[in-house]
Amino acid sequence: MSSSRRDTVAAWWQAGPFAAVLAFFFVAPLLLIFAVSFWPTSDYELVPGFTGQNYVSIFEGCSHLAEPCVTLKTYASTLGFSLMTWAATLVLGFAIAYFLAFHVRTPAMQTLLFVLCTIPFWTSNVIRMISWVPLLGRNGLVNQGLLGLGLVNEPVEWLLFSPFSVVLAFVHLNTMFMLVPIFNSMMRIDRSLLEAADDAGASGWQTLWNVVVPLSRTGIVIGSIFVITVVMGDFVTVGVMGGQQIASVGKVIQVQTSYLQFPLAAANAVVLLVAVLMIIAALTRMVDLRKEL
């Protein structure tokens, strides 16, 4: 056996276990969900079969252009949460990463500050969400402070169990997913490029926009993928911080599974997966991740 052939066989043996794990835990469940999405919907049992009625039910009424259907409204609400969370986490993540990468000089202090940023991840997501209730509630610290300062005459109702609280919780939970890849991209930037821009007379904002941002594009895209995909499928945050009053695609799927409507939930999951893959495809067109990474 030639050397190149032996190397090829060895590579396949090395990749085989990882491919098997990926196929069993990722590909097979997706195929199962896709198959179940075509089964007839039953109130009490799963009946194998083939029907497109589940997808028809999802988009029922969407042919009327005058009034958007429930599905489109739900997807618009979920996409709105994703975009607002993405914008907020991008600003926060980029600013913190820029400070850590270019203004903190010693690696030890960078490591210390980076670890401090991860402290919220040491607790459960539910605990972190619930921690906002004493702050934003009708009798919470924020309302008490506003009343004490005379800025409002009565408690502000929209601070909790509202779209505002949902987005706030999303930003709290997902900023690290944006910060980490951006910080990694910034640490790979050659500092001589910044010195060259400064020698050429570029201002700080010009250097930021024309040097740092383009070279951080890979991290921005990766962080955007993380944040948007997590928010699009989330249902716990929407349920807790929205007071069970705000709809999202993930919440709809969770309710359908709780009522044992698994084929309909599977169809919704397939539609959500296609929507998320379209968003990811649009983001990855901005940068060649395989080349950059």
Side-chain angles (χ1 to χ4, degrees):
M1 184 181 295
S2 64
S3 176
S4 60
R5 183 174 179 82
R6 284 197 303 269
D7 293 340
T8 302
V9 173
W12 275 107
W13 275 108
Q14 292 174 1
F18 298 101
V21 171
L22 181 65
F24 184 78
F25 290 102
F26 182 72
V27 177
L30 287 179
L31 294 177
L32 181 60
I33 291 173
F34 183 74
V36 172
S37 69
F38 289 98
W39 289 8
T41 301
S42 176
D43 294 334
Y44 304 104
E45 60 182 346
L46 284 173
V47 181
F50 185 85
T51 178
Q53 185 59 40
N54 296 320
Y55 292 95
V56 173
S57 299
I58 292 174
F59 295 102
E60 186 176 2
C62 293
S63 59
H64 303 291
L65 300 179
E67 181 67 22
C69 63
V70 175
T71 298
L72 293 182
K73 289 181 179 179
T74 305
Y75 270 89
S77 174
T78 305
L79 185 59
F81 286 138
S82 298
L83 293 178
M84 287 186 286
T85 304
W86 169 79
T89 55
L90 177 59
V91 172
L92 288 175
F94 190 92
I96 297 172
Y98 184 85
F99 173 77
L100 292 177
F102 298 110
H103 290 278
V104 180
R105 299 301 180 182
T106 62
M109 184 57 66
Q110 283 181 338
T111 302
L112 176 61
L113 294 177
F114 189 83
V115 170
L116 290 177
C117 292
T118 66
I119 287 179
F121 280 77
W122 298 358
T123 59
S124 168
N125 285 2
V126 177
I127 298 299
R128 281 184 282 164
M129 284 185 286
I130 294 176
S131 66
W132 286 104
V133 175
L135 293 174
L136 304 178
R138 181 178 177 85
N139 298 315
L141 295 178
V142 174
N143 269 320
Q144 289 180 0
L146 293 175
L147 291 171
L149 295 173
L151 298 177
V152 295
N153 296 322
E154 58 184 13
V156 181
E157 300 288 348
W158 54 264
L159 291 177
L160 188 63
F161 303 142
S162 65
F164 169 79
S165 61
V166 172
V167 174
L168 181 64
F170 275 139
V171 173
H172 181 202
L173 298 175
N174 298 301
T175 298
M176 278 297 295
F177 293 121
M178 184 70 76
L179 189 156
V180 172
I182 294 178
F183 176 72
N184 181 61
S185 293
M186 288 183 177
M187 290 300 295
R188 297 167 60 185
I189 296 177
D190 188 350
R191 296 318 190 254
S192 63
L193 296 176
L194 305 182
E195 297 176 1
D198 185 64
D199 294 340
S203 64
W205 285 107
Q206 288 175 327
T207 302
L208 175 67
W209 185 253
N210 295 303
V211 178
V212 177
V213 171
L215 295 178
S216 303
R217 184 174 55 182
T218 300
I220 293 173
V221 170
I222 295 175
S224 300
I225 292 173
F226 285 158
V227 171
I228 291 177
T229 53
V230 169
V231 174
M232 286 290 289
D234 187 281
F235 64 90
V236 177
T237 306
V238 175
V240 174
M241 300 304 295
Q244 308 297 335
Q245 302 173 17
I246 298 176
S248 71
V249 180
K251 187 64 179 175
V252 170
I253 295 174
Q254 184 264 332
V255 171
Q256 289 171 342
T257 55
S258 66
Y259 283 100
L260 305 181
Q261 298 177 343
F262 295 112
L264 190 59
N268 264 306
V270 171
V271 175
L272 176 61
L273 176 62
V274 172
V276 172
L277 289 177
M278 292 173 62
I279 295 174
I280 293 175
L283 290 172
T284 53
R285 288 181 65 88
M286 302 178 183
V287 60
D288 188 350
L289 294 181
R290 292 176 298 180
K291 179 180 178 180
E292 294 291 339
L293 295 177

